[in-house]
Every structure is written in C-alpha cells, then in structure tokens.
Amino acid sequence: MRWTAGSMMRTGGAMPPEPANRVLRFGHVQRMVHRTTASLMLTCLATAACLYLGPLAQVVGRRHLVAAVHEWSGICLPLPTLLGLIHPSFRADLRRLNRFAVYDRQWLRADRRRRTSPQDRPAGKFNAGQKIFAGWIAGAVVIMMFTGLLMWFAGMLPFISRTSAIFVHDLLAWLITAVIIGHIRKAHQDSEARLGMRSGYVSVAWAMRHHSRWQPVREESPHPGRGRPKEQPGDEGVAP
C-alpha cells in the first residue's frame, strides 16, 4: 500500500497540495454535511429537552417557539445529506459506509475482546463501528421524522394512535441522546480524527494505524469522460 503525501491532489491543479505527511480524508462537502447535520441534531435534542423536562421548560419558557424550532429542525435534518448527494465524493463515502467487508467482522471481534492493535483492527476509510453508527442513526432519523409527523398531524394515519407515536418518539430520543454522547466521547478521545473532520487532513501515521485498508492514493484522468478512476484493492468504493 502506498501512502504518499500530496497524492490526492487532482491533476490539473484543481486542489491545493496537501500538507507534508498528511492525506486528505474529508473534502469540503463531507465536512459541511457533517457540521450542518450535527448542528440540526443538537438543536433537536436541546429543544426536546426544553419541551420534555419540566424544570428546564420553566427556565426557558416560550414553549410554542421552542416547539416550532424543534419541529422544523427535525424536518430539515435530512436536507444536508440529500444536498450532499449531488457531489460524487460524498456519494462515494456513502457507498463505503454501506459496505461491510470481511475485515470489518475482524474489527468487531477485536472490539468485543478489547484488542486495540492495528493488526487486530483492520479498517477501510471507515471502520465497522462507524458504519454501524451511520446506519443506525440514519434509520433512527427516519423513524423520528415519521413519528414526529404523526404527532404533528394526528389525523394523518388514524389507525396509529398518537400515544403510540409519542412513546416511540420519546424512547428513540433517549436512545439517540445516549448514542450521540458516545459518539462525542469517542471523538474527544481522538484528536487526529477531530482534526480530519475540522481541516479535512489527517497524518499518514494515523491513517496507517487506524485505517490500514484505506487507499487514499488515486489517479484521476486529466481528460473528462475517459472513465472513472480504478478502485484500489482493500478499500470500499471510489475515493474523492
């Protein structure tokens, strides 16, 4: 596997050279989608707490305004992802997240047994835990939107009671809160991963240690229309 600083620069100079000993992990589109989705998710959780917890509701007040912010934040939650689909690099990352490789099972076995060595935890651009988190949170958002709309328009599906929708919505909200806290905790423990989401670049040493099956080296054709770049073995999908 070749790890070459600057190798992700597109031919023709469309992108600036990478910093020394660093590789591009996330482009501008991926970072903006992540930031916008995170902001909307935290807004949903914060406003939900103001609506659900009595003491906090009394301190904040303005219940109708808080409810409106909560509802519209929830409706807008899928929009960053849908807009991101326009960009091919974002679609490529979604394909990676949607594919489980053989080495992902090895990663999960090592995680259960508390093994942390790179040999025990092989991963592509995304490890198995990140793939499970992405799939779970995407499904949870869909269910939250569905139950939220049922609560908002109680007569939309009369055969489903509003009480049932509230129960599922509230229960899933608590689960999402716990999962998001775990996600933030894991990110706090890895400063290099946070730097990759903030600046787009990570060190070659970090990438080799935590994502040994990821192949960031791609050669793009300088002539549009002559085919897509070839996939490197051991990685999922086509890199940005």
Side-chain angles (χ1 to χ4, degrees), residues 11 15 24 29 37 42 47 49 56 63-64 67 69 79 91 104 106 132 143 149 166 174 182 191 206 217:
T11 55
M15 294 178 63
L24 180 66
V29 172
T37 303
L42 292 177
T47 51
L56 190 58
R63 184 174 181 84
H64 291 295
V69 172
L79 289 182
R91 295 197 302 271
D104 288 321
Q106 182 181 344
I132 292 173
I143 296 174
L149 288 172
I166 293 173
W174 283 109
S191 59
W206 180 89
V217 179

Side-chain angles (χ1 to χ4, degrees), residues 96-102 104-105 108 128-129 131-132 236:
R96 291 188 181 95
L97 285 168
N98 198 39
R99 294 178 182 175
F100 242 75
V102 174
D104 288 321
R105 299 187 183 92
L108 290 173
K131 293 176 180 180
I132 292 173
E236 312 93 338

